[in-house]
Amino acid sequence: MDPELAKRLFFEGATVIILNMPEGTEFGIDYNSWQVGPKFRGVKMIPPGIHFIHYSSTNHCSVDSTGPRTGFFLNVKQRDLLVLRWNPLNEEVDLTPASEEETERMRADLQNLDKFLGPYPYETLKKWISLTNLITEAVMMKLQPENRHICAFAEVLPVVALTHTKDRAEQNLPRYDTECKSYQEGLARLPVMKQKAGTEIRFTEMPKKMYPEGATPAEVTRHSMDLSYALVTLINQHYASQPEGILAELQFAFVCFLIGNVYEAFEHWKQLLTLLCRSEDAVKTHESLYNSLISILYHQLGEIPSDFFVDIVSQDNFLTSTLQTFFSYTCTSSTDRMLRKKAEKFKMHLTKKFKWDFEIDPEDCAPVVVEVPEGVALADGR
């Protein structure tokens, strides 16, 4: 990097200082990670905007073994200085900022701290922005857990405290001291768990009904195949003023999954993608939304390792079948010309890169069995 540019970035960019982080910890920001050395104090020259800081504790008995990843989102501004500390008891970064007095003292000494700060890797900034360009501070505050920590493994607690044998008896659970005769019995002895309050990512809840009240059997079938009603309902309830907020949530879930290693985020990404890609009628009224969706998917699918599709994404052929449905109505003459051209180009790109065939008959073309709402009569009067 040009020395003059580096000097300007040092003074204009943001700085995050993390004191006392143990040597050997795997530390990262956005799309990059390193192993912490003895002199590490944080990161300098961070460009303004949304960033994701993440880390994994090292097993002191084995330097090659690291714990589950934990991270947190930040929205930094020009010349920001954030001073945090490592909490050795919880093995995590304490997100309580240092006092204003300590922060200003460190700001005055920033040039002497320079040798202890790693520079932000600008060579990957474009890639990071392509994955997060719609995530705003408002979206970050809305979706992140109340305690702000994004953890790969959820922190869970028993629904009922089972401190005594009588407590287990009340829950119809076997005693701990009786012989366990099978794996299923062993699972049955485990208490029912729930995620600790304040630690869950606050994703938007998917609509429970895919069709309106009073729908006829024919309408139930139609809304079960074209999910536009459910999609528009979700947008109107949660993103009425800014429909593209649902795409920001798609990006947020993807980052939590790809970089934060949160499997629940992958499941939410799948649900949102299914809702978006199986909503044919919505394309006609939300063309801008779908233009942006194609751009987002182009960048997201470009960042997933190719062998990953074999393990998770292609499980049950989810992604190819979902996109096949999407292309079946966006690559037709009834779709807006600009959107159609973009969809056709994206389809060709995926076919070439991943060798996916979107022309074969999808596996989900079997008759759809729908649940008829209570009180709705069938066509023959039953």
Side-chain angles (χ1 to χ4, degrees):
M1 183 183 292
D2 177 73
E4 285 301 316
L5 175 60
K7 184 177 180 180
R8 181 164 61 85
L9 290 173
F10 175 79
F11 287 105
E12 299 297 323
T15 301
V16 174
I17 293 175
I18 303 178
L19 301 174
N20 306 321
M21 180 169 276
E23 185 177 352
T25 301
E26 183 184 281
F27 171 85
I29 181 169
D30 300 343
Y31 213 76
N32 311 272
S33 62
W34 311 268
Q35 193 171 54
V36 168
K39 296 182 179 181
F40 176 81
R41 297 292 184 277
V43 182
K44 61 184 177 181
M45 300 160 57
I46 304 173
I50 298 291
H51 296 281
F52 184 65
I53 290 179
H54 46 92
Y55 53 88
S56 300
S57 299
T58 301
N59 187 329
H60 298 297
C61 299
S62 173
V63 293
D64 297 325
S65 176
T66 58
R69 180 166 289 183
T70 300
F72 55 93
F73 283 90
L74 284 177
N75 182 32
V76 300
K77 297 177 176 58
Q78 193 176 35
R79 300 185 184 182
D80 268 357
L81 174 61
L82 180 63
V83 181
L84 304 172
R85 279 183 168 77
W86 179 261
N87 183 327
L89 184 62
N90 298 330
E91 292 193 317
E92 65 182 21
V93 176
D94 185 345
L95 299 182
T96 306
S99 66
E100 185 176 345
E101 180 183 354
E102 183 179 10
T103 300
E104 289 308 311
R105 178 172 56 80
M106 287 200 165
R107 186 186 297 280
D109 196 41
L110 209 51
Q111 290 195 47
N112 292 327
L113 287 170
D114 179 60
K115 59 185 176 182
F116 301 109
L117 303 174
Y120 182 90
Y122 274 78
E123 62 272 15
T124 59
L125 178 59
K126 185 177 179 181
K127 182 188 295 186
W128 172 250
I129 291 176
S130 73
L131 294 178
T132 59
N133 65 305
L134 294 181
I135 302 177
T136 62
E137 183 173 22
V139 170
M140 178 187 79
M141 298 296 290
K142 169 185 170 70
L143 298 176
Q144 69 181 359
E146 291 179 5
N147 70 352
R148 297 178 56 200
H149 293 281
I150 307 284
C151 301
F153 290 166
E155 187 176 353
V156 295
L157 297 171
V159 173
V160 178
L162 304 173
T163 54
H164 304 288
T165 302
K166 64 180 181 64
D167 297 327
R168 294 184 61 80
E170 290 173 0
Q171 296 297 311
N172 294 318
L173 293 172
R175 291 165 56 99
Y176 280 123
D177 55 358
T178 58
E179 182 181 356
C180 185
K181 298 179 180 180
S182 67
Y183 175 73
Q184 288 72 22
E185 184 181 333
L187 290 178
R189 296 188 182 200
L190 298 175
V192 177
M193 308 295 284
K194 64 178 179 180
Q195 192 164 351
K196 184 179 179 181
T199 66
E200 63 273 17
I201 302 174
R202 294 174 290 179
F203 288 129
T204 300
E205 186 177 353
M206 294 294 104
K208 289 184 170 59
K209 279 196 173 182
M210 313 308 281
Y211 49 83
E213 290 290 339
T216 66
E219 289 171 336
V220 172
T221 299
R222 179 167 63 85
H223 289 304
S224 298
M225 297 177 67
D226 181 346
L227 306 181
S228 297
Y229 172 80
L231 174 63
V232 172
T233 298
L234 185 146
I235 290 175
N236 289 341
Q237 289 179 349
H238 301 280
Y239 292 109
S241 60
Q242 185 63 40
E244 286 199 347
I246 192 173
L247 300 182
E249 185 165 339
L250 188 75
Q251 289 186 329
F252 190 94
F254 187 80
V255 169
C256 290
F257 155 60
L258 183 69
I259 302 179
N261 298 341
V262 181
Y263 184 75
E264 290 77 10
F266 170 64
E267 288 298 319
H268 188 71
W269 179 77
K270 283 175 58 178
Q271 290 178 333
L272 283 178
L273 196 57
T274 298
L275 200 58
L276 287 159
C277 289
R278 296 183 182 270
S279 298
E280 182 174 357
D281 286 347
V283 172
K284 301 168 186 175
T285 55
H286 292 79
E287 291 170 2
S288 174
L289 181 79
Y290 279 91
N291 265 296
S292 298
L293 173 64
I294 292 174
S295 298
I296 287 170
L297 289 178
Y298 173 82
H299 292 295
Q300 289 185 345
L301 299 189
E303 296 308 319
I304 299 180
S306 58
D307 59 348
F308 184 82
F309 289 107
V310 177
D311 299 327
I312 296 183
V313 178
S314 62
Q315 184 181 12
D316 299 325
N317 206 25
F318 155 74
L319 196 54
T320 51
S321 64
T322 300
L323 289 174
Q324 186 173 33
T325 301
F326 179 65
F327 292 138
S328 71
Y329 59 79
T330 52
C331 297
T332 63
S333 57
S334 61
T335 303
D336 171 74
R337 179 175 172 273
M338 294 297 292
L339 178 58
R340 182 177 74 249
K341 288 183 65 176
K342 192 168 185 176
E344 289 172 343
K345 189 175 180 180
F346 182 46
K347 178 181 175 182
M348 290 175 60
H349 165 74
L350 295 177
T351 301
K352 181 179 179 180
K353 181 169 183 176
F354 298 112
K355 305 298 186 288
W356 292 341
D357 188 353
F358 296 106
E359 305 305 327
I360 60 174
D361 291 335
E363 296 177 359
D364 56 359
C365 280
V368 178
V369 179
V370 299
E371 182 181 347
V372 179
E374 187 178 350
V376 175
L378 298 177
D380 60 3
R382 289 180 292 171

